[in-house]
Amino acid sequence: MRRIFTLCVCLLGFALGGHAQSVKAAWLAMPDTLSPYLTEAQREECIDLKEKNLEAKVANMLQGETVLDTLTAVYLQATLSQSATLQMRVMPADGVDSLICVVKTLQAPAKESEVSFYDSSWRPLTELQQVVDSLLEALPAKLVSRPDSMTEERYQELVQMIDPVMVEATLSPDEDALTFRLSTPLLPSGEKEAVARVLSQRKFKWNGHSFNEY
């Protein structure tokens, strides 16, 4: 897994351009094709309300409400609708350029995330995206582990209950890091608690050059 993320860095060296920016600037410059919920004016309104310490809630384009929950210099989280959230983080690259990491999560009702990377001009990092998508395909098997006190038979039984397999990703508000975990399937409470015992998570931190698991 670590080898795959190191490969991402090699691709980034050729793909990134532009200059480091704030997440506020990235949010306002986000192409409309990536923001079907809000227009640029509505995104700006969210920023204005948040900076005035008011509830940053606006009516969105899909006849619902969107709330800008968290805004820092480099991190943003918005509740797009009752079933969708967006996280965005501007990460440094080589100390000069920056990349934008976007995590969109749907909850219907289990959570499943889409992780995307862009340069500072919102150009998709296509080659990097292909590598990350390959990682996500292989990741679910790494997100379960058998407790020492559990038999192999019981462990396999619980793993089979994880259906459908959906990966949730979370961007840290405090550091340049991504955490991956499996969504808990829809099961009776007793079985859900049992399945939770075999679930684990993987965290990767970006150091400006590579993602490293820790």
Side-chain angles (χ1 to χ4, degrees):
M1 189 176 303
R2 185 170 297 139
R3 178 181 64 81
I4 295 176
F5 271 83
T6 301
L7 177 58
C8 292
V9 179
C10 298
L11 298 172
L12 283 172
F14 297 100
L16 288 174
H19 300 284
Q21 61 179 309
S22 68
V23 77
K24 171 183 172 180
W27 168 258
L28 294 177
M30 182 188 298
D32 291 341
T33 54
L34 298 176
S35 179
Y37 285 87
L38 301 174
T39 64
E40 181 179 351
Q42 290 171 318
R43 295 196 299 274
E44 187 170 6
E45 182 180 357
C46 285
I47 294 287
D48 290 342
L49 290 169
K50 196 68 176 176
E51 290 181 338
K52 293 175 182 177
N53 293 318
L54 300 173
E55 184 180 22
K57 179 189 293 186
V58 299
N60 62 42
M61 301 290 289
L62 301 181
Q63 300 182 338
E65 292 181 331
T66 293
V67 181
L68 179 57
D69 304 299
T70 306
L71 177 66
T72 70
V74 296
Y75 173 85
L76 176 153
Q77 177 171 309
T79 301
L80 300 177
S81 69
Q82 292 182 339
S83 59
T85 61
L86 178 144
Q87 293 177 307
M88 182 188 303
R89 189 171 181 89
V90 176
M91 298 181 176
D94 299 327
V96 178
D97 297 332
S98 59
L99 65 87
I100 304 169
C101 180
V102 177
V103 176
K104 293 182 179 179
T105 301
L106 294 179
Q107 183 172 358
K111 295 181 179 181
E112 186 168 28
S113 300
E114 174 185 298
V115 182
S116 304
F117 292 90
Y118 304 87
D119 69 11
S120 56
S121 297
W122 282 105
R123 291 185 293 260
L125 300 177
T126 306
E127 293 180 328
L128 171 58
Q129 193 65 56
Q130 291 173 350
V131 174
V132 173
D133 289 345
S134 295
L135 168 70
L136 291 175
E137 288 179 7
L139 194 57
K142 306 289 186 179
L143 298 176
V144 290
S145 60
R146 181 175 65 84
D148 293 339
S149 60
M150 184 178 293
T151 66
E152 180 66 23
E153 181 181 5
R154 177 56 172 164
Y155 170 67
Q156 293 298 332
E157 179 183 349
L158 293 174
V159 169
Q160 293 300 316
M161 293 182 185
I162 305 173
D163 184 33
V165 175
M166 294 185 290
V167 176
E168 176 192 359
T170 305
L171 269 170
S172 171
D174 304 314
E175 57 183 344
D176 297 324
L178 271 168
T179 300
F180 297 93
R181 61 180 62 84
L182 288 179
S183 290
T184 306
L186 298 177
L187 295 168
S189 59
E191 292 182 349
K192 190 171 184 177
E193 292 173 4
V195 168
R197 293 183 59 202
V198 305
L199 300 181
S200 59
Q201 65 180 30
R202 296 294 181 99
K203 187 174 183 179
F204 298 85
K205 187 172 182 180
W206 172 254
N207 63 11
H209 304 283
S210 62
F211 277 105
N212 297 301
E213 183 175 3
Y214 75 109

